[in-house]
Amino acid sequence: MVKLEEVIEGHEDFSDGEPSDNDSNYSTDDSDSEDLEESILERVLALRDIIPEDTRESISNKISTIMSLGVRSARLIGNGAWILTTSALLIFMPLAYEIEREHAFDQAYSQMENDQLMGQGGNPYGQPGQPGQQPMPPGQHQSRGALIPPGF
């Protein structure tokens, strides 16, 4: 005979210590789940039976077309990047080298001009001495080693 028992919502009584039918749904025992587990490959193979043959071919053709376009565009982008980088190296690196060399030459030239001006006493017109100094008597040379043409 079947014994009926009324269950009040929100009140659970597990005083008898035996698991109820609802507990079996939430059990952590994996013995039942091992039989039901399928691998992803088995699931995909099962889809093969569900999807019609013409639909599978259509999907396969679309995926292969997309993949081939992707490969071709990747090759095209790679070749374009190679052409741009090698062209830039061949054209702009020598240009950058010449610009740097010209800049170094300009710095050396301006340094040489500054040294000459300092050797002349800071006077850009070539007259010996600095403002406020007495001119040197004839026949004497400057102690700084500046070149004085004869007769001055």
Side-chain angles (χ1 to χ4, degrees):
M1 219 187 250
V2 178
K3 180 180 174 184
L4 293 176
E5 184 178 322
E6 185 178 341
V7 178
I8 301 172
E9 263 187 60
H11 177 355
E12 296 180 17
D13 186 20
F14 296 110
S15 60
D16 59 355
E18 294 179 20
S20 67
D21 291 338
N22 291 338
D23 290 341
S24 66
N25 291 340
Y26 300 110
S27 70
T28 59
D29 188 15
D30 292 331
S31 63
D32 294 333
S33 64
E34 288 176 3
D35 296 336
L36 298 177
E37 279 189 29
E38 292 178 317
S39 67
I40 294 177
L41 179 62
E42 290 172 345
R43 289 183 180 206
V44 170
L45 290 175
L47 285 175
R48 206 171 93 188
D49 298 332
I50 297 172
I51 300 173
E53 179 71 27
D54 57 340
T55 307
R56 285 189 309 214
E57 286 180 13
S58 172
I59 291 171
S60 175
N61 289 339
K62 288 178 183 176
I63 289 175
S64 64
T65 302
I66 290 171
M67 291 296 290
S68 67
L69 287 175
V71 167
R72 277 192 244 148
S73 62
R75 280 190 184 145
L76 182 66
I77 290 171
N79 288 341
W82 173 259
I83 290 170
L84 288 176
T85 55
T86 54
S87 298
L89 286 174
L90 291 174
I91 293 172
F92 295 117
M93 287 304 289
L95 178 66
Y97 177 72
E98 287 298 321
I99 290 172
E100 182 65 30
R101 197 168 85 176
E102 183 177 338
H103 182 68
F105 178 75
D106 287 343
Q107 283 182 342
Y109 184 74
S110 64
Q111 180 65 33
M112 185 177 69
E113 283 182 342
N114 288 341
D115 290 345
Q116 285 180 351
L117 287 176
M118 294 304 286
Q120 293 175 357
N123 195 344
Y125 299 110
Q127 296 175 353
Q130 294 179 354
Q133 277 188 342
Q134 295 291 330
M136 294 184 70
Q140 290 188 354
H141 299 288
Q142 285 183 337
S143 62
R144 293 188 184 172
L147 182 62
I148 300 175
F152 288 101

